[in-house]
Amino acid sequence: MAQDTAQQATAAPARALLPLILPALVVGVGASLLFLGVSEAAEALQDVLWQNLPDALGVGRYSVLWTIVMLTATGVVVGLVVWKVPGHAGPDPATMGLNAPVLAPAVLPGLLLATALMLAGGPSLGPENPIIAVNVGLAFWLGRRLLPRLPGGLWAALAEAATIGALFGTPVAAALLISEALAGRQLKGALWDNVFAPLVAAAAGAITTTLVAHPTFDLHLPALGRPGWGDLLAVLVIASAAALFGMCAVRAFPYVHGAFARLRHPMLMLPAGGLVLGLLGALGGHLTLFKGLEEVGEIAADPDGWSAGEFATMTVVKLAALLVAASCGFRGGRIFPAVFVGVAFGLCAHALVPGVHPAVGVAAGVLGMLLAITRQGWVSLFTAAVLVSSPAIIALLCIASLPAWLLVTGRPQMQLRADGTPVR
């Protein structure tokens, strides 16, 4: 009798989960294709704006003049979209994180257009927040019409997990975010019953991205052998220092956002932000432009190719650019440029102290910076680890995350509420 009861208990969740597989697969593939389509369009436009056009005009591609003109022009064009396009390209991006609200369908085209223009024009933001918001809105709107019996919250969870899987090229990142989101909630049934459908969507999104675009986060740094006491000390110091450095930007975020908000109109806020970003780009060089994924591979390809001062300049400029871009109204996310800041910070530590292994410096810098910017512990650990792809680094990062977390927990993160107060 007890055995029959157990079989019924295990059969019921299976019958409930099986119908979710097909919708999760469709959402996963669709979310990945939308992300890849926007990325491809933005890259094509970037080539036109930063290669073909300056070459035709006889201007240096990344000259001071062209950098200032292009970033300011990007602010003007995105400002026009935010001002005139229906829905105004969504809510204030400073208030948005990875947990996106369900936006009305009319808002989504403008948000996509503003995101693609931003990615092509050079501001230091990534695609993650707006792409998640668009996929959540589309999945909710279509899902409620095609399969109205499924709860609306399920479509948002599927789209969010699918987009994160597509962005990182692996469902592991989505699984870690889901586990953090579910922490402290009263769940009905087992944890894996609750994450089953989102993981299917994340896997479908990740596989689609992998098959189409072949992404990789591995920076191909020199391999880390057996870690020693020096590596342990280095990872503890660098992760904590990076977290403190990132918290400086987090503390400044509401004040910088408030300064731009006082301009009141997107045609003032965004062009002014673009001008400041152009000046920062002229100071830091072309590697401090854009979301930073391609650029981070360039600086990591030659850890000894820049001086400590040059790495420090890139670190400060990129963090300042992230702060300005996130404050003035550009539509984008903060994770990918924060990765660049962390990598440059770690390579600066290596340049200052050659005994610091480049892989240790990079992983620790990214860990501390992401903890400060996102307050997402698992995603910070995961991202830092995949950049290095060394099994020996994982234990060091887990240890380093403890003092770094003590520095950031309970303090604001780089996200604001609608009233302008920081999210904790």
Side-chain angles (χ1 to χ4, degrees), residues 70-134:
M70 276 307 310
L71 267 299
T72 306
T74 301
V76 172
V77 174
V78 175
L80 283 171
V81 173
V82 175
W83 180 27
K84 291 296 186 180
V85 172
H88 305 290
D92 183 350
T95 65
M96 295 181 65
L98 295 179
N99 298 318
V102 178
L103 302 177
V107 177
L108 306 184
L111 180 54
L112 273 181
L113 178 59
T115 303
L117 292 170
M118 181 280 299
L119 291 172
S124 293
L125 292 173
E128 59 273 18
N129 290 7
I131 295 297
I132 289 173
V134 171

Side-chain angles (χ1 to χ4, degrees), residues 28-284:
V29 173
S32 175
L33 291 178
L34 186 140
F35 161 62
L36 292 172
V38 172
S39 298
E40 188 67 26
E43 289 175 8
L45 180 58
Q46 178 181 327
D47 290 341
V48 172
L49 296 178
W50 290 92
Q51 297 180 26
N52 300 346
L53 190 55
D55 289 350
L57 296 173
V59 181
R61 291 183 177 182
Y62 295 104
S63 64
V64 170
L65 174 63
W66 191 251
T67 298
I68 295 173
V69 167
M70 276 307 310
L71 267 299
T72 306
T74 301
V76 172
V77 174
V78 175
L80 283 171
V81 173
V82 175
W83 180 27
K84 291 296 186 180
V85 172
H88 305 290
D92 183 350
T95 65
M96 295 181 65
L98 295 179
N99 298 318
V102 178
L103 302 177
V107 177
L108 306 184
L111 180 54
L112 273 181
L113 178 59
T115 303
L117 292 170
M118 181 280 299
L119 291 172
S124 293
L125 292 173
E128 59 273 18
N129 290 7
I131 295 297
I132 289 173
V134 171
N135 278 329
V136 166
L138 285 174
F140 183 87
W141 182 68
L142 293 173
R144 294 292 284 173
R145 281 153 181 76
L146 299 177
L147 293 173
R149 289 178 295 180
L150 294 179
L154 174 66
W155 296 108
L158 293 179
E160 185 175 331
T163 311
I164 293 169
L167 285 163
F168 288 94
T170 171
V172 176
L176 295 173
L177 273 173
I178 294 167
S179 68
E180 284 197 89
L182 293 177
R185 297 185 186 179
Q186 290 186 345
L187 302 179
K188 295 181 179 179
L191 173 64
W192 279 92
D193 289 340
N194 287 271
V195 303
F196 178 83
L199 279 182
V200 173
I207 291 172
T208 302
T209 298
T210 300
L211 292 175
V212 175
H214 312 290
T216 179
F217 285 85
D218 186 4
L219 296 179
H220 305 291
L221 290 163
L224 175 66
R226 183 176 179 179
W229 291 107
D231 297 318
L232 177 60
L233 177 62
V235 79
L236 287 168
V237 172
I238 295 170
S240 299
L244 289 173
F245 182 55
M247 285 301 299
C248 294
V250 173
R251 288 289 187 183
F253 187 43
Y255 301 103
V256 177
H257 179 268
F260 282 107
R262 282 192 282 273
L263 297 176
R264 296 185 179 275
H265 198 283
M267 285 304 295
L268 295 175
M269 296 166 58
L270 283 151
L275 174 60
V276 175
L277 291 173
L279 295 171
L280 287 170
L283 175 64

